[in-house]
Amino acid sequence: MYAMKRVYSPFKSELTFRLPPATSGAWKDGFLWKTRVPSGSKVSCTPGSIRAVISSDDKALEPYSKEASNKEVNELVLSSSSDNLGKGGIDVRAVITIRKKMKEKINEKIEDQWEYFVNGIGRGILIQLVSEEIDPETNSGKSVQASVRGWLPKPSNNEHIIEYSADFTVPFDFGNPGAVLATNLHGKEFYLMEIVVHGFDSGPIFFPANTWIHSSKDNPDSRIIFRNQAYLPSRTPPGIKDLRREDLLSLRGNGKGERKTHDRIYDYALYNDLGNPDKDEELARPVLGSEKWPYPRRCRTGRPPTKKDPTCETRIEKPHPVYVPRDETFEEIKQNTFSTGRLKALLHNLIPAITASLSSSDIPFTCFSEIDKLYNDGFILRSEELKEIAQIPFMGNFMKQVLSVSERLLVYDIPAVIKRDRFAWLRDSEFARQTLAGVNPVNIEILKEFPILSKLDHAVYGPPESAITEELIARELNGMSVEKAIEEKRLFILDYHDMLLPFIEKMNSLPGRKAYASRTVFFHDQAGILRPIVIELSLPSSPSSPCNKHVYTHGHDATTHWIWKLAKAHVCSNDAGVHQLVNHWLRTHACMETYIIATHRQLSAMHPIYKLLHPHMRYTLEINALARQSLINGGGIIEACFSPGKFAMEISSAAYQNMWRFDMEALPADLVRRGMAVEDPSMPCGVRLVIEDYPYASDGLLIWSAIREYVESYVGHFYSEPNSVTSDIELQAWWNEIKNKGHFDKRSEPWWPKLNTKEDLSGILTTMIWIASGQHAAINFGQYPFGGYMPNRPTLMRKLIPLENENDHERFIQNPQHTFLSSLPTQLQATKIMAAQDTLSTHSPDEEYLGQVSHLHSHWINDHEMVELFNRFSARLEEIEGIINLRNKDARLKNRNGAGVPPYELLLPTSGPGVTGRGIPNSISI
């Protein structure tokens, strides 16, 4: 509850203005007595309270020079207040920075001029300062309010930024302001970058915002902006304690109704929006987030149910946006640059254009030269959709030539995997190298025992024992016994058998899809070279074929050579699907969404852990919403271009049920679980790699270690007292919500880490930051460099391998190249997925990389020690970049150096814009 006291000001107030809906007040003796009423509170205007509203005089504030520093502004205000000591208080000035739209229509520019006028005369924005100190008579924070008036000079380096100011006179005992309440009286929202208050003895006080301030017509509540001081809940200054709670409540909503675009409400929902049964029964998809199909939760939109299936939510089809909380949407600069501009152009324009141009000739490649033409000659797209593509900046990366208004020449860049050696993909060593240094280096594991046994029900799926025999492996070990090879940790396996076999029959019933459940065994020889030695491809058992398993090795005759090539292609197809649906979408995008929702709902913006996580949440909810709209939805790009087809998200759900564990998402724990590392306390991360030349793991451990050291020091700074973690009510609610709401279907698992100590907290946070940064970078930005050449990494296979007693076998013998190419995705499928991979592998020019702070967040925390800690973290990442560059020049490391071998750069911290195959953004933003 807030009340007020009259405070005399040297300024005369003559201008009146309309009260916003969130306030109450009255004029008396030339002063506007006003209070903002928190929900459920009553207004009490008592003579002893300390709240005042002081307006400045009518004329616009005198502008200061463009070169004026914070010090100069401070001196200006302080000198003014010093002239008025004893006359009622201290004069302070709040400088409000607002960003305009970069691209405006004529009517919007006219509206801007009106807004400048309205703001200039104090009728557009109200600003209220709330002190950290409490008024004992009202038991609420001391407060003063003023209209935003006038305008300061535009910063010379950005024409889109406008600065206004508001002048206040505060009592001498006001204390430091801890929060600002902003009320927008305009009819539309505006983007508030920050508020800086000058005039207090402590110097400028920063209130970083970077948020959309809704119109009071849409929502009468004022927006609460806290200063950049981090406080644990128990240490919140009493004057802003109620505001802290009120702000969190406003972000949670009530779980009812359809969300509106201006809302900032974070809540959970099932994955019940992937299908569209009202449009076509073939587009119906199961709801994910149930006992049968468990899954993490997504951000709730509250759209009405479909007519044909009340458990499913109606869809918003492109190009209309799917709701995400207002501050999660892409900033305009992001929308108009590389990644998101290209992504929307891809989904809304380019993919339809490719489909329109090639649908009449949706045929296989007939020779390798046709694939080469995609990079050399390109092909013509003819579609009205291309008019809109031409307006998207940076689409020129692969729209190489304008032929006419509705014609474009689509030419792809040569992918890195064949840029240095176009035949590298044919070699077994390159096939194996990509399991350690490719775009999906997280599935290979050590072969711990023999025989290889299935965990599936063998009554349904056939014999539990693999068809890979010990004798078969022994023939490939250069005289070493299988037992010895296992003992020396030289045998490894890429095992997609149990994950895929339950779905193979359904997948193979789809037109143009043929797949196996696969196992691939590798041998790491004494020269340090990893090579595949045997591949097992399995189909579900049937009465006529109870053991439907086929085993292939790399023979030396022509026929065996081509069959081996087909077997590897099937393995790569499985690897591509698991990579996209499990390791990429599920383990990074989907899981990170739950952490982000819980962070906004349970951790105040002034909580130190919120401030730590904030850079790692940027744009993720928006990119996930786009993915649900056009990538992973029924009939979307993933279903159209990957082997599982309409069963893609069912496989993702099964993997979540059978494999996903939060405690195993930590890089060291994952490496140990897969047998790719052993525990070793003497090593920096406590583990030693089994294969030293494992680029993803060796570089990843450097990044992990840097994150962990930074997080441990940060956490130790704020949680220095015993029981400080367990007594943090916001933190405990945050972790409980992640487990019990975000991962509701896994809520009872015993492996969830405890959150009792600062060590527990550091481990949890390190894992989350690693997932959002290093892990996502390692498995995302190599998609086009490795997958852009379809024979190297086909996303689906269209034919099974011909057997000797089948009609296709003779055609295979006569033309094995045709059999191989006709098994790959068609020209239409290939060009669509290449376009998607190119876009998803692209960094935007405004990318924020790990260890960097955007200029928009330069005042993220008012703690010199933490700023210095972050600077040390940044310096360490620069050192790591140098270490990785040196590793890439080390001739002993064959998986990242050698003739035609591309260096491993996916975990280099920084990058320029474009498809670079390097760079670790702070967050999952593409």
Side-chain angles (χ1 to χ4, degrees):
M1 179 172 64
Y2 295 118
M4 57 197 133
K5 177 181 178 181
R6 176 174 170 178
V7 179
Y8 290 97
S9 169
F11 298 112
K12 179 182 177 182
S13 178
E14 297 177 354
L15 178 68
T16 63
F17 51 87
R18 183 180 57 191
L19 291 176
T23 63
S24 64
W27 284 100
K28 186 177 180 182
D29 299 332
F31 292 91
L32 174 61
W33 294 52
K34 180 177 290 186
T35 179
R36 181 177 185 281
V37 186
S39 176
S41 301
K42 296 181 179 179
V43 180
S44 176
C45 301
T46 62
S49 61
I50 312 180
R51 182 166 192 183
V53 178
I54 306 298
S55 295
S56 64
D57 53 1
D58 293 346
K59 63 185 179 181
L61 294 170
E62 294 296 326
Y64 61 93
S65 68
K66 294 183 180 181
E67 292 77 22
S69 64
N70 286 333
K71 179 180 178 182
E72 291 170 330
V73 176
N74 224 25
E75 289 173 350
L76 171 67
V77 178
L78 285 174
S79 64
S80 171
S81 60
S82 65
D83 292 337
N84 296 291
L85 290 175
K87 296 184 180 180
I90 303 171
D91 293 342
V92 299
R93 168 176 287 180
V95 177
I96 296 93
T97 305
I98 292 173
R99 190 179 67 213
K100 300 193 311 174
K101 289 182 66 175
M102 296 171 64
K103 290 185 176 182
E104 292 184 308
K105 300 175 182 177
I106 294 178
N107 65 310
E108 290 176 324
K109 292 181 178 180
I110 295 173
E111 289 176 359
D112 281 349
Q113 298 303 314
W114 173 247
E115 287 185 9
Y116 297 158
F117 173 75
V118 171
N119 287 338
I121 64 174
R123 297 289 188 96
I125 304 170
L126 301 182
I127 297 295
Q128 183 175 339
L129 298 184
V130 181
S131 173
E132 292 184 340
E133 297 185 7
I134 202 166
D135 177 359
E137 295 189 17
T138 62
N139 201 32
S140 60
K142 305 170 186 178
S143 175
V144 295
Q145 179 169 290
S147 301
V148 169
R149 291 174 174 274
W151 43 85
L152 301 176
K154 298 178 183 178
S156 58
N157 62 342
N158 196 324
E159 63 177 326
H160 304 293
I161 292 177
I162 301 294
E163 291 185 341
Y164 297 98
S165 65
D167 277 9
F168 303 83
T169 298
V170 301
F172 296 116
D173 62 351
F174 185 79
N176 283 328
V180 170
L181 276 61
T183 304
N184 175 12
L185 302 180
H186 292 289
K188 64 179 183 179
E189 66 185 2
F190 65 84
Y191 190 83
L192 177 64
M193 297 179 68
E194 71 173 358
I195 299 173
V196 184
V197 178
H198 303 272
F200 288 94
D201 291 340
S202 57
I205 299 176
F206 294 91
F207 294 80
N210 296 302
T211 183
W212 289 97
I213 305 297
H214 58 261
S215 169
S216 58
K217 295 180 180 179
D218 292 326
N219 184 341
D221 291 336
S222 300
R223 280 294 309 282
I224 303 170
I225 311 296
F226 295 106
R227 67 175 295 192
N228 62 340
Q229 187 71 46
Y231 292 112
L232 294 177
S234 61
R235 297 180 180 177
T236 308
I240 57 174
K241 187 172 290 186
D242 288 345
L243 290 179
R244 181 173 187 148
R245 178 176 178 273
E246 183 180 340
D247 189 46
L248 282 175
L249 289 175
S250 71
L251 291 166
R252 295 172 192 164
N254 59 11
K256 299 178 181 179
E258 184 172 356
R259 298 275 62 87
K260 299 177 176 61
T261 55
H262 65 264
D263 285 340
R264 293 172 61 249
I265 296 176
Y266 297 78
D267 204 354
Y268 301 95
L270 304 173
Y271 272 68
N272 62 351
D273 62 341
L274 299 179
N276 193 348
D278 288 351
K279 183 177 181 180
D280 190 333
E281 289 185 3
E282 284 297 311
L283 294 177
R285 297 294 180 268
V287 174
L288 304 186
S290 62
E291 184 175 355
K292 182 178 180 181
W293 300 114
Y295 217 63
R297 298 306 189 253
R298 64 171 175 92
C299 187
R300 181 184 178 276
T301 65
R303 297 192 300 270
T306 60
K307 296 177 182 178
K308 292 187 177 180
D309 186 350
T311 66
C312 291
E313 189 174 88
T314 52
R315 288 180 51 77
I316 300 293
E317 299 295 352
K318 59 188 181 183
H320 304 291
V322 177
Y323 167 81
V324 294
R326 185 64 183 96
D327 288 338
E328 302 297 328
T329 57
F330 298 133
E331 296 176 17
E332 190 179 7
I333 187 173
K334 181 82 168 176
Q335 293 173 348
N336 289 312
T337 53
F338 248 17
S339 52
T340 57
R342 284 175 52 125
L343 181 61
K344 289 182 177 179
L346 167 87
L347 301 177
H348 303 165
N349 307 108
L350 183 57
I351 294 297
I354 291 174
T355 303
S357 299
L358 295 180
S359 59
S360 61
S361 58
D362 185 16
I363 58 176
F365 294 103
T366 58
C367 60
F368 285 97
S369 60
E370 289 183 344
I371 300 176
D372 294 339
K373 284 182 179 180
L374 293 175
Y375 317 107
N376 301 326
D377 302 331
F379 63 94
I380 297 173
L381 293 181
R382 297 182 177 91
S383 173
E384 290 299 311
E385 308 274 0
L386 296 173
K387 294 179 182 178
E388 295 184 37
I389 296 180
Q391 300 173 11
I392 305 295
F394 305 104
M395 284 303 291
N397 190 50
F398 53 173
M399 304 303 296
K400 298 295 185 183
Q401 183 180 343
V402 179
L403 301 181
S404 69
V405 174
S406 60
E407 290 186 355
R408 295 290 186 279
L409 185 64
L410 179 64
V411 181
Y412 290 95
D413 289 334
I414 299 174
V417 71
I418 61 168
K419 203 163 195 175
R420 297 186 178 201
D421 181 355
R422 63 175 300 181
F423 301 111
W425 68 278
L426 289 165
R427 291 193 292 272
D428 286 355
S429 59
E430 178 62 18
F431 174 81
R433 189 189 74 85
Q434 290 182 31
T435 66
L436 302 172
V439 70
N440 188 40
V442 297
N443 278 106
I444 188 170
E445 54 189 320
I446 201 162
L447 184 58
K448 298 178 181 179
E449 58 186 5
F450 206 88
I452 305 167
L453 298 175
S454 172
K455 298 177 182 178
L456 296 175
D457 179 6
H458 62 84
V460 177
Y461 296 107
E465 187 172 317
S466 167
I468 301 175
T469 64
E470 187 170 351
E471 293 75 19
L472 193 62
I473 291 181
R475 291 206 305 262
E476 306 294 330
L477 300 185
N478 301 329
M480 181 181 292
S481 69
V482 174
E483 183 179 3
K484 182 70 171 176
I486 291 176
E487 181 183 338
E488 293 187 3
K489 302 184 186 302
R490 294 191 178 278
L491 289 178
F492 299 85
I493 188 169
L494 197 63
D495 193 346
Y496 298 132
H497 180 275
D498 289 8
M499 185 189 302
L500 295 181
L501 192 58
F503 297 92
I504 291 297
E505 186 173 0
K506 293 193 293 185
M507 289 164 57
N508 288 348
S509 68
L510 299 173
R513 306 293 169 95
K514 297 299 177 186
Y516 302 92
S518 63
R519 290 188 179 107
T520 308
V521 177
F522 300 84
F523 177 56
H524 190 238
D525 64 26
Q526 294 177 333
I529 303 300
L530 187 72
R531 57 184 176 87
I533 57 175
V534 60
I535 294 174
E536 177 192 80
L537 301 178
S538 301
L539 296 171
S541 60
S542 64
S544 61
S545 184
C547 184
N548 212 349
K549 301 176 185 291
H550 307 276
V551 177
Y552 303 96
T553 58
H554 62 92
H556 300 288
D557 63 276
T559 300
T560 308
H561 171 81
W562 274 103
I563 289 178
W564 175 248
K565 193 190 308 292
L566 284 167
K568 288 194 297 180
H570 274 281
V571 172
C572 288
S573 174
N574 288 346
D575 190 71
V578 172
H579 161 261
Q580 198 66 258
L581 298 168
V582 180
N583 300 326
H584 185 205
W585 173 257
L586 168 64
R587 294 175 62 187
T588 64
H589 284 260
C591 287
M592 200 67 207
E593 182 158 354
T594 64
Y595 313 146
I596 292 170
I597 296 171
T599 299
H600 284 285
R601 286 168 53 87
Q602 299 298 339
L603 298 183
S604 166
M606 68 176 82
H607 197 292
I609 302 307
Y610 177 94
K611 291 183 177 294
L612 176 69
L613 290 176
H614 184 263
H616 308 290
M617 303 188 291
R618 184 181 188 231
Y619 297 150
T620 303
L621 296 190
E622 172 84 334
I623 201 70
N624 285 4
L626 274 174
R628 286 191 294 271
Q629 188 179 44
S630 299
L631 289 175
I632 65 170
N633 61 300
I637 294 175
I638 299 302
E639 287 193 1
C641 300
F642 285 79
S643 284
K646 63 186 291 185
F647 308 106
M649 293 304 290
E650 293 181 20
I651 290 177
S652 189
S653 171
Y656 176 69
Q657 180 177 36
N658 299 322
M659 298 171 52
W660 187 86
R661 293 177 47 159
F662 181 87
D663 60 331
M664 293 292 107
E665 293 302 290
L667 177 59
D670 175 62
L671 292 170
V672 171
R673 176 186 64 84
R674 291 190 284 121
M676 301 305 293
V678 294
E679 294 183 356
D680 186 344
S682 67
M683 300 298 288
C685 292
V687 297
R688 177 173 50 81
L689 295 177
V690 172
I691 298 178
E692 181 182 355
D693 188 12
Y694 186 179
Y696 157 78
S698 57
D699 292 358
L701 288 172
L702 289 175
I703 301 296
W704 170 273
S705 179
I707 295 171
R708 186 194 62 187
E709 291 173 11
Y710 170 56
V711 170
E712 286 177 348
S713 297
Y714 186 95
V715 168
H717 177 75
F718 291 100
Y719 293 91
S720 57
E721 300 176 2
N723 303 320
S724 55
V725 170
T726 54
S727 63
D728 186 334
I729 56 174
E730 287 183 7
L731 189 71
Q732 293 298 326
W734 168 76
W735 186 233
N736 286 332
E737 185 164 293
I738 287 173
K739 295 184 294 182
N740 296 316
K741 288 190 175 181
H743 289 274
F744 179 83
D745 303 322
K746 293 270 191 177
R747 64 193 182 281
S748 301
E749 296 289 354
W751 40 254
W752 283 104
K754 305 296 183 184
L755 183 53
N756 297 324
T757 67
K758 60 183 180 182
E759 290 77 18
D760 296 339
L761 177 57
S762 296
I764 290 168
L765 294 171
T766 300
T767 298
M768 289 181 180
I769 294 173
W770 161 252
I771 291 169
S773 58
Q775 180 72 352
H776 180 257
I779 60 179
N780 180 74
F781 293 103
Q783 289 193 73
Y784 186 78
F786 286 98
Y789 186 67
M790 200 54 60
N792 176 68
R793 192 171 175 79
T795 56
L796 62 84
M797 295 293 283
R798 303 173 65 243
K799 294 182 178 180
L800 298 176
I801 297 176
L803 301 177
E804 290 188 10
N805 59 346
E806 295 176 345
N807 295 333
D808 285 345
H809 189 265
E810 182 58 31
R811 286 193 287 270
F812 160 68
I813 295 296
Q814 295 299 321
N815 193 342
Q817 175 179 279
H818 179 269
T819 298
F820 180 83
L821 291 174
S822 63
S823 298
L824 302 182
T826 65
Q827 295 185 35
L828 173 60
Q829 290 169 329
T831 49
K832 286 169 66 174
I833 196 60
M834 287 164 66
Q837 289 173 333
D838 180 274
T839 300
L840 297 176
S841 302
T842 298
H843 290 292
S844 69
D846 74 328
E847 198 84 85
E848 295 177 10
Y849 295 97
L850 191 64
Q852 297 180 355
V853 175
S854 165
H855 69 281
L856 297 176
H857 304 285
S858 56
H859 301 118
W860 66 284
I861 194 168
N862 182 32
D863 190 319
H864 178 72
E865 190 174 338
M866 292 300 93
V867 172
E868 287 300 310
L869 175 64
F870 185 83
N871 291 339
R872 292 196 297 273
F873 174 53
S874 300
R876 175 54 182 159
L877 289 171
E878 290 183 10
E879 293 175 4
I880 289 173
E881 187 151 327
I883 293 171
I884 293 175
N885 286 328
L886 288 175
R887 287 176 173 177
N888 285 330
K889 297 176 183 178
D890 190 339
R892 297 171 299 174
L893 302 177
K894 306 297 184 183
N895 290 323
R896 60 199 312 159
N897 183 281
V901 176
Y904 186 77
E905 297 181 328
L906 288 170
L907 286 171
L908 281 172
T910 61
S911 172
V915 180
T916 63
R918 58 176 289 168
I920 305 176
N922 271 322
S923 63
I924 301 170
S925 58
I926 188 65

